[in-house]
PDB file of all heavy atoms in Angstrom:
ATOM      1  N   GLU A 235     -46.358  58.346  15.951  1.00 97.00           N
ATOM      2  CA  GLU A 235     -47.170  58.504  14.675  1.00 97.00           C
ATOM      3  C   GLU A 235     -47.803  59.879  14.520  1.00 97.00           C
ATOM      4  O   GLU A 235     -48.006  60.317  13.439  1.00 97.00           O
ATOM      5  CB  GLU A 235     -48.230  57.376  14.597  1.00 97.00           C
ATOM      6  CG  GLU A 235     -47.671  56.036  14.084  1.00 97.00           C
ATOM      7  CD  GLU A 235     -46.936  56.015  12.836  1.00 97.00           C
ATOM      8  OE1 GLU A 235     -47.407  56.612  11.938  1.00 97.00           O
ATOM      9  OE2 GLU A 235     -45.920  55.460  12.804  1.00 97.00           O
ATOM     10  N   SER A 236     -48.092  60.527  15.719  1.00 97.00           N
ATOM     11  CA  SER A 236     -48.762  61.798  15.726  1.00 97.00           C
ATOM     12  C   SER A 236     -47.802  62.923  15.329  1.00 97.00           C
ATOM     13  O   SER A 236     -48.223  64.061  15.344  1.00 97.00           O
ATOM     14  CB  SER A 236     -49.422  61.919  17.080  1.00 97.00           C
ATOM     15  OG  SER A 236     -48.390  61.978  18.088  1.00 97.00           O
ATOM     16  N   VAL A 237     -46.498  62.617  15.263  1.00 98.00           N
ATOM     17  CA  VAL A 237     -45.492  63.695  15.053  1.00 98.00           C
ATOM     18  C   VAL A 237     -44.984  63.502  13.566  1.00 98.00           C
ATOM     19  O   VAL A 237     -44.407  62.499  13.375  1.00 98.00           O
ATOM     20  CB  VAL A 237     -44.311  63.608  16.058  1.00 98.00           C
ATOM     21  CG1 VAL A 237     -43.329  64.733  15.792  1.00 98.00           C
ATOM     22  CG2 VAL A 237     -44.909  63.874  17.531  1.00 98.00           C
ATOM     23  N   SER A 238     -45.036  64.529  12.820  1.00 98.00           N
ATOM     24  CA  SER A 238     -44.700  64.491  11.383  1.00 98.00           C
ATOM     25  C   SER A 238     -43.091  64.546  11.186  1.00 98.00           C
ATOM     26  O   SER A 238     -42.362  64.885  12.142  1.00 98.00           O
ATOM     27  CB  SER A 238     -45.363  65.668  10.621  1.00 98.00           C
ATOM     28  OG  SER A 238     -44.799  66.914  10.939  1.00 98.00           O
ATOM     29  N   PHE A 239     -42.779  64.218  10.082  1.00 98.00           N
ATOM     30  CA  PHE A 239     -41.304  64.362   9.745  1.00 98.00           C
ATOM     31  C   PHE A 239     -40.821  65.875   9.928  1.00 98.00           C
ATOM     32  O   PHE A 239     -39.676  66.139  10.454  1.00 98.00           O
ATOM     33  CB  PHE A 239     -40.991  63.994   8.320  1.00 98.00           C
ATOM     34  CG  PHE A 239     -40.880  62.500   8.163  1.00 98.00           C
ATOM     35  CD1 PHE A 239     -41.794  61.839   7.335  1.00 98.00           C
ATOM     36  CD2 PHE A 239     -39.791  61.811   8.688  1.00 98.00           C
ATOM     37  CE1 PHE A 239     -41.603  60.426   7.140  1.00 98.00           C
ATOM     38  CE2 PHE A 239     -39.702  60.365   8.600  1.00 98.00           C
ATOM     39  CZ  PHE A 239     -40.641  59.721   7.846  1.00 98.00           C
ATOM     40  N   GLU A 240     -41.664  66.859   9.499  1.00 98.00           N
ATOM     41  CA  GLU A 240     -41.266  68.240   9.600  1.00 98.00           C
ATOM     42  C   GLU A 240     -41.082  68.705  11.013  1.00 98.00           C
ATOM     43  O   GLU A 240     -40.227  69.436  11.470  1.00 98.00           O
ATOM     44  CB  GLU A 240     -42.096  69.088   8.831  1.00 98.00           C
ATOM     45  CG  GLU A 240     -42.002  69.062   7.280  1.00 98.00           C
ATOM     46  CD  GLU A 240     -42.789  70.044   6.551  1.00 98.00           C
ATOM     47  OE1 GLU A 240     -43.661  70.727   7.077  1.00 98.00           O
ATOM     48  OE2 GLU A 240     -42.571  70.068   5.310  1.00 98.00           O
ATOM     49  N   GLU A 241     -42.099  68.168  11.855  1.00 98.00           N
ATOM     50  CA  GLU A 241     -42.038  68.407  13.263  1.00 98.00           C
ATOM     51  C   GLU A 241     -40.761  67.842  13.845  1.00 98.00           C
ATOM     52  O   GLU A 241     -40.152  68.418  14.715  1.00 98.00           O
ATOM     53  CB  GLU A 241     -43.301  67.978  14.019  1.00 98.00           C
ATOM     54  CG  GLU A 241     -44.531  68.742  13.745  1.00 98.00           C
ATOM     55  CD  GLU A 241     -45.709  68.034  14.278  1.00 98.00           C
ATOM     56  OE1 GLU A 241     -46.111  66.880  13.861  1.00 98.00           O
ATOM     57  OE2 GLU A 241     -46.251  68.638  15.250  1.00 98.00           O
ATOM     58  N   GLY A 242     -40.380  66.696  13.359  1.00 98.00           N
ATOM     59  CA  GLY A 242     -39.182  66.030  13.797  1.00 98.00           C
ATOM     60  C   GLY A 242     -37.889  66.814  13.477  1.00 98.00           C
ATOM     61  O   GLY A 242     -37.039  66.892  14.320  1.00 98.00           O
ATOM     62  N   ALA A 243     -37.993  67.419  12.321  1.00 98.00           N
ATOM     63  CA  ALA A 243     -36.842  68.256  11.992  1.00 98.00           C
ATOM     64  C   ALA A 243     -36.759  69.446  12.735  1.00 98.00           C
ATOM     65  O   ALA A 243     -35.738  70.063  13.133  1.00 98.00           O
ATOM     66  CB  ALA A 243     -36.828  68.669  10.402  1.00 98.00           C
ATOM     67  N   LEU A 244     -37.988  70.003  13.168  1.00 98.00           N
ATOM     68  CA  LEU A 244     -37.983  71.256  14.000  1.00 98.00           C
ATOM     69  C   LEU A 244     -37.686  71.083  15.529  1.00 98.00           C
ATOM     70  O   LEU A 244     -37.616  71.994  16.284  1.00 98.00           O
ATOM     71  CB  LEU A 244     -39.434  71.789  13.822  1.00 98.00           C
ATOM     72  CG  LEU A 244     -39.736  72.539  12.481  1.00 98.00           C
ATOM     73  CD1 LEU A 244     -41.151  72.875  12.319  1.00 98.00           C
ATOM     74  CD2 LEU A 244     -38.838  73.775  12.322  1.00 98.00           C
ATOM     75  N   ILE A 245     -37.402  69.840  15.812  1.00 98.00           N
ATOM     76  CA  ILE A 245     -37.045  69.549  17.122  1.00 98.00           C
ATOM     77  C   ILE A 245     -35.589  70.142  17.402  1.00 98.00           C
ATOM     78  O   ILE A 245     -35.329  70.562  18.521  1.00 98.00           O
ATOM     79  CB  ILE A 245     -36.907  67.988  17.486  1.00 98.00           C
ATOM     80  CG1 ILE A 245     -38.407  67.443  17.584  1.00 98.00           C
ATOM     81  CG2 ILE A 245     -36.281  67.683  18.782  1.00 98.00           C
ATOM     82  CD1 ILE A 245     -38.530  65.980  17.679  1.00 98.00           C
ATOM     83  N   GLU A 246     -34.758  70.324  16.324  1.00 98.00           N
ATOM     84  CA  GLU A 246     -33.429  70.927  16.542  1.00 98.00           C
ATOM     85  C   GLU A 246     -33.623  72.360  17.108  1.00 98.00           C
ATOM     86  O   GLU A 246     -33.040  72.626  18.120  1.00 98.00           O
ATOM     87  CB  GLU A 246     -32.678  70.867  15.255  1.00 98.00           C
ATOM     88  CG  GLU A 246     -31.202  70.964  15.439  1.00 98.00           C
ATOM     89  CD  GLU A 246     -30.866  72.469  15.490  1.00 98.00           C
ATOM     90  OE1 GLU A 246     -31.549  73.350  15.078  1.00 98.00           O
ATOM     91  OE2 GLU A 246     -29.622  72.803  16.059  1.00 98.00           O
TER      92      GLU A 246
END
Side-chain angles (χ1 to χ4, degrees):
E235 287 301 317
S236 60
V237 179
S238 70
F239 279 114
E240 287 187 354
E241 289 175 290
L244 288 168
I245 289 175
E246 197 279 341

